[in-house]
Amino acid sequence: MTVRVLLADDQPLVRAALQMVIADAPGLDLAGEAGTGAEAVRMTEDLRPDVVVMDIRMPGMDGIEATRLITAGHGARVLVLTTFDDDEYVYAALRAGASGFLVKDMALDDILAAIRVVAAGDALIDPRVTRRLIGEFAARPAPGPRPRRVAGLTEREIEVLTLVGRGLSNAEIAAELFISAATVKTYVTRLLAKLDARDRVRLVITAYETGLVPPT
């Protein structure tokens, strides 16, 4: 399956660099380029990309609001571009429905891999910022009541959710629980359905918000 990608960044040089590597990458197709958040929303509606690679800081409508509108109504997954001093924006992007985060100095091959991961329905956050971002995010008050327990889950599902929250991969969870990776994948799929979670990022957040994993 070809993954159609929309680039949203107000820096032409960033878009040009990504455009070149996407053009040469098997299984990826550049659907279009947007220079503002409003343009990204409009082009997502018109072009129906699978993944939007979204900068946060853009003139007019920023990447946060654009992410919220895209994930709420257009079905595309959003992969946010960030820098280390963008924490406040990243917390907001999580709440807006982003499926992952890229740091702008990542290798281009890693960015391509992240696009494929998100397109496949998983989530990805650069490991240099994962624990800090999720931990601090979960410690902040959310709009509305925060869940204090996870209802409707089996003991095994709670164990898997806890390990997902700790940042373990399916293979690592399988080794920890002495079950197969395929079984872990089944449990993760069930968790996504039971918790109405869009992707693995939301499972991590739930694990923190419900106290299964304490913020660090």
Side-chain angles (χ1 to χ4, degrees):
M1 183 188 72
T2 299
V3 177
R4 303 182 71 248
V5 182
L6 175 67
L7 301 178
D9 197 299
D10 64 337
Q11 299 179 36
L13 288 177
V14 173
R15 297 201 308 269
L18 290 172
Q19 178 186 11
M20 287 189 293
V21 294
I22 288 173
D24 292 334
L28 299 183
D29 178 56
L30 183 65
E33 299 178 35
T36 68
E39 192 175 17
V41 174
R42 185 170 60 253
M43 293 182 72
T44 299
E45 183 173 357
D46 293 340
L47 301 176
R48 300 291 175 178
D50 301 300
V51 176
V52 181
V53 179
M54 179 80 71
D55 189 18
I56 290 181
R57 295 176 177 174
M58 290 186 288
M61 180 188 294
D62 64 15
I64 305 300
E65 179 64 10
T67 295
R68 186 185 68 78
L69 294 173
I70 288 171
T71 58
H74 301 297
R77 293 181 174 271
V78 176
L79 197 54
V80 169
L81 289 171
T82 185
T83 57
F84 284 121
D85 61 354
D86 276 342
D87 283 6
E88 291 294 332
Y89 294 94
V90 175
Y91 304 139
L94 265 175
R95 297 199 188 278
S99 292
F101 303 94
L102 302 179
V103 176
K104 283 191 174 181
D105 64 358
M106 284 180 71
L108 291 175
D109 284 347
D110 291 337
I111 293 177
L112 295 178
I115 291 171
R116 293 189 176 97
V117 167
V118 169
D122 210 333
L124 184 144
I125 305 178
D126 186 288
R128 290 172 291 177
V129 295
T130 302
R131 298 293 295 205
R132 177 170 55 87
L133 289 178
I134 298 295
E136 291 186 31
F137 165 82
R140 291 164 176 253
R146 288 176 52 174
R148 293 297 179 184
R149 60 187 181 88
V150 187
L153 300 186
T154 66
E155 288 300 318
R156 179 62 92 183
E157 287 167 345
I158 290 174
E159 287 179 324
V160 172
L161 178 60
T162 301
L163 295 175
V164 169
R166 284 170 44 193
L168 274 65
S169 67
N170 285 358
E172 291 168 334
I173 294 172
E176 181 86 9
L177 298 179
F178 302 101
I179 57 180
S180 70
T183 300
V184 175
K185 185 175 181 180
T186 298
Y187 278 118
V188 171
T189 300
R190 288 178 188 169
L191 287 168
L192 291 170
K194 284 188 175 184
L195 298 175
D196 193 26
R198 179 181 177 87
D199 50 41
R200 203 179 185 97
V201 168
R202 306 307 302 180
L203 293 183
V204 174
I205 293 168
T206 298
Y208 276 95
E209 288 185 328
T210 55
L212 293 175
V213 179
T216 55

